[in-house]
Amino acid sequence: RQPVDVMSPMLLVAALNFTATVMALMAAAWMLTAPDTPGRRSFAWTQLAIAWWAGTAGLEVLLFGDRLAMRIGQLQYLGIASLPVFWI
């Protein structure tokens, strides 16, 4: 893999993924501190799964080594697989 150029579209993809990660973490924190609302825990866990998925996707784009990027890609599946479970 080549190093990421500052003006690379991949950098934009990573920035968008990290933005989504922060937004999902903020939504999860907001729901966990909200008054007793039906479904708030499920929604918070869903947001945490989305944050994990988006954060690892951003890391995967930025990593230079194929082996490390592959390992991070495998870690994405923790968020991907848990998302439908928490959605229910």
Side-chain angles (χ1 to χ4, degrees):
R1 266 191 172 175
Q2 297 293 327
V4 178
D5 185 21
V6 176
M7 298 305 290
S8 170
M10 298 306 272
L11 191 61
L12 176 63
V13 169
L16 290 173
N17 276 312
F18 292 136
T19 302
T21 300
V22 170
M23 291 174 66
L25 289 172
M26 288 172 48
W30 177 59
M31 283 310 292
L32 288 174
T33 60
D36 195 24
T37 307
R40 73 182 177 98
R41 282 198 180 122
S42 177
F43 183 78
W45 280 107
T46 301
Q47 293 302 308
L48 290 173
I50 290 170
W52 181 266
W53 184 4
T56 53
L59 280 176
E60 182 184 18
V61 169
L62 291 180
L63 294 175
F64 301 122
D66 289 334
R67 217 171 225 214
L68 190 55
M70 181 91 138
R71 190 66 68 196
I72 295 294
Q74 290 172 342
L75 287 174
Q76 281 182 12
Y77 287 105
L78 292 173
I80 295 168
S82 62
L83 189 58
V85 174
F86 294 140
W87 186 261
I88 296 172

